[in-house]
mmCIF file of all heavy atoms in Angstrom:
data_model
loop_
_atom_site.group_PDB
_atom_site.id
_atom_site.type_symbol
_atom_site.label_atom_id
_atom_site.label_comp_id
_atom_site.label_asym_id
_atom_site.label_seq_id
_atom_site.Cartn_x
_atom_site.Cartn_y
_atom_site.Cartn_z
ATOM 1 N N VAL A 15 -1.185 -4.945 24.550
ATOM 2 C CA VAL A 15 -0.224 -5.021 23.395
ATOM 3 C C VAL A 15 -0.698 -4.390 22.214
ATOM 4 O O VAL A 15 -0.159 -3.501 21.574
ATOM 5 C CB VAL A 15 0.100 -6.592 22.951
ATOM 6 C CG1 VAL A 15 0.852 -6.610 21.719
ATOM 7 C CG2 VAL A 15 0.764 -7.229 24.191
ATOM 8 N N ALA A 16 -2.025 -4.466 21.804
ATOM 9 C CA ALA A 16 -2.714 -3.819 20.800
ATOM 10 C C ALA A 16 -2.801 -2.314 21.046
ATOM 11 O O ALA A 16 -2.544 -1.470 20.082
ATOM 12 C CB ALA A 16 -4.136 -4.337 20.480
ATOM 13 N N ALA A 22 1.092 3.922 18.834
ATOM 14 C CA ALA A 22 2.295 4.131 18.022
ATOM 15 C C ALA A 22 1.785 4.489 16.620
ATOM 16 O O ALA A 22 2.263 5.566 15.974
ATOM 17 C CB ALA A 22 3.153 2.955 17.808
ATOM 18 N N VAL A 23 0.647 3.829 16.092
ATOM 19 C CA VAL A 23 0.057 4.318 14.822
ATOM 20 C C VAL A 23 -0.355 5.770 14.854
ATOM 21 O O VAL A 23 -0.103 6.480 13.922
ATOM 22 C CB VAL A 23 -0.940 3.227 14.402
ATOM 23 C CG1 VAL A 23 -1.740 3.909 13.178
ATOM 24 C CG2 VAL A 23 -0.485 1.949 14.116
ATOM 25 N N ALA A 34 -5.793 -0.621 10.823
ATOM 26 C CA ALA A 34 -5.047 -0.959 12.049
ATOM 27 C C ALA A 34 -5.995 -1.484 13.028
ATOM 28 O O ALA A 34 -5.680 -2.356 13.775
ATOM 29 C CB ALA A 34 -4.163 0.248 12.491
ATOM 30 N N TYR A 47 2.496 -6.318 10.274
ATOM 31 C CA TYR A 47 2.227 -5.299 9.360
ATOM 32 C C TYR A 47 3.153 -4.045 9.757
ATOM 33 O O TYR A 47 3.707 -3.528 8.803
ATOM 34 C CB TYR A 47 0.733 -5.002 9.380
ATOM 35 C CG TYR A 47 0.441 -3.537 8.767
ATOM 36 C CD1 TYR A 47 0.615 -3.547 7.275
ATOM 37 C CD2 TYR A 47 0.172 -2.510 9.462
ATOM 38 C CE1 TYR A 47 0.355 -2.205 6.774
ATOM 39 C CE2 TYR A 47 -0.092 -1.292 8.907
ATOM 40 C CZ TYR A 47 -0.063 -1.170 7.525
ATOM 41 O OH TYR A 47 -0.172 0.054 6.983
ATOM 42 N N SER A 60 11.857 5.709 -2.395
ATOM 43 C CA SER A 60 11.249 6.896 -1.810
ATOM 44 C C SER A 60 9.811 6.755 -1.350
ATOM 45 O O SER A 60 9.202 5.651 -1.593
ATOM 46 C CB SER A 60 11.311 8.015 -2.814
ATOM 47 O OG SER A 60 10.324 7.751 -3.906
ATOM 48 N N ALA A 68 1.845 0.988 -3.769
ATOM 49 C CA ALA A 68 0.563 0.712 -2.990
ATOM 50 C C ALA A 68 -0.668 1.017 -3.985
ATOM 51 O O ALA A 68 -1.539 0.199 -3.869
ATOM 52 C CB ALA A 68 0.527 1.535 -1.804
ATOM 53 N N VAL A 74 -4.761 -3.286 -9.088
ATOM 54 C CA VAL A 74 -4.727 -4.698 -9.653
ATOM 55 C C VAL A 74 -5.571 -5.560 -8.869
ATOM 56 O O VAL A 74 -6.355 -6.306 -9.450
ATOM 57 C CB VAL A 74 -3.278 -5.259 -9.714
ATOM 58 C CG1 VAL A 74 -3.254 -6.722 -9.988
ATOM 59 C CG2 VAL A 74 -2.450 -4.536 -10.848
ATOM 60 N N GLY A 76 -8.122 -4.552 -6.896
ATOM 61 C CA GLY A 76 -9.459 -4.023 -6.674
ATOM 62 C C GLY A 76 -9.802 -3.676 -5.275
ATOM 63 O O GLY A 76 -10.894 -3.969 -4.856
ATOM 64 N N ALA A 113 8.427 4.823 -13.257
ATOM 65 C CA ALA A 113 7.707 3.821 -14.129
ATOM 66 C C ALA A 113 8.165 2.408 -13.934
ATOM 67 O O ALA A 113 7.431 1.472 -13.957
ATOM 68 C CB ALA A 113 7.623 4.465 -15.549
ATOM 69 N N ALA A 114 9.443 2.270 -13.871
ATOM 70 C CA ALA A 114 10.067 0.903 -13.767
ATOM 71 C C ALA A 114 9.655 0.273 -12.443
ATOM 72 O O ALA A 114 9.442 -0.934 -12.384
ATOM 73 C CB ALA A 114 11.538 1.011 -13.858
ATOM 74 N N VAL A 150 10.679 -3.552 -3.910
ATOM 75 C CA VAL A 150 9.450 -3.527 -4.656
ATOM 76 C C VAL A 150 8.639 -4.832 -4.363
ATOM 77 O O VAL A 150 7.498 -4.732 -4.064
ATOM 78 C CB VAL A 150 9.625 -3.357 -6.175
ATOM 79 C CG1 VAL A 150 8.366 -3.597 -6.950
ATOM 80 C CG2 VAL A 150 10.113 -2.005 -6.482
ATOM 81 N N ALA A 176 -11.797 7.072 -3.235
ATOM 82 C CA ALA A 176 -11.088 7.261 -4.555
ATOM 83 C C ALA A 176 -12.090 6.877 -5.610
ATOM 84 O O ALA A 176 -12.826 5.936 -5.574
ATOM 85 C CB ALA A 176 -9.922 6.340 -4.589
#
Side-chain angles (χ1 to χ4, degrees):
V15 174
V23 170
Y47 162 73
S60 68
V74 170
V150 169

